[in-house]
Amino acid sequence: MMDSPVAILFGMVVNFALLIVFIRFMFQLANIPKTHPYGRGVYMLSAVVTLFSRIFPDLNKGQFSTSAVVLMLLLIYIQIAGFASIEGKSLTPLLLFFGGTLRGILHFVDALKYIIIASVVCSWIILLANKMHPVMDLIMQMSEPIVAPFRRFTPNLGMIDLSVLVAIMSLSMIEIVIRIVGGNILKLLV
């Protein structure tokens, strides 16, 4: 049933919205201004986050967008409920809440790891080609708030940045713990 055109189209629309809201979250976290050429498009496409920020105010002087986090969770709940509806399955609100929250956290951690990996690849391209595209700069700026806390306690080895490796390993360990704990909670709910 998930191969139906309705399910595919529904999944594409929700995933696109999730991507836009996630990029908006990362832009705010990295302090990328609305005046940035790529920032204008992202902030314009994700204007609903600004509306939600009246209900869920930003934290840390506007750097942490709680409204974007809430919107991402709502989109994941909508996706799970929509797929269940398309398949004709029933879903309890408790299962939707815990399953959606678990899926949202795991997707978020995965996306953070992908941003870090993309910034590493961009840094290699910049090093080898001696050229930098503005998108590469954005990716590296978005990864900085994730990697920066790990730079405080990793040794500086010159050209080798161990903080990236430590960040990816830490996020992977967090993902494993969440997957185990969340999986056990979901088993109890089903």
Side-chain angles (χ1 to χ4, degrees), residues 12-31:
M12 285 174 47
V13 169
V14 173
N15 284 333
F16 180 73
L18 274 167
L19 179 66
I20 293 296
V21 175
F22 176 75
I23 291 172
R24 164 71 181 263
F25 174 82
M26 291 307 298
F27 270 36
Q28 277 189 243
L29 192 64
N31 285 326

Side-chain angles (χ1 to χ4, degrees), residues 131-184:
K131 293 182 182 177
M132 184 168 179
H133 191 272
V135 173
M136 291 181 188
D137 184 41
L138 277 178
I139 292 170
M140 293 176 76
Q141 284 181 20
M142 285 193 299
S143 72
E144 191 56 32
I146 306 163
V147 177
F150 297 100
R151 284 205 176 102
R152 288 188 216 135
F153 60 86
T154 54
N156 186 0
L157 299 177
M159 291 292 289
I160 301 172
D161 189 8
L162 292 179
S163 59
V164 172
L165 183 63
V166 173
I168 290 174
M169 288 175 52
S170 299
L171 287 171
S172 296
M173 288 176 22
I174 289 169
E175 181 181 7
I176 290 168
V177 169
I178 291 172
R179 198 174 293 275
I180 290 170
V181 172
N184 288 333

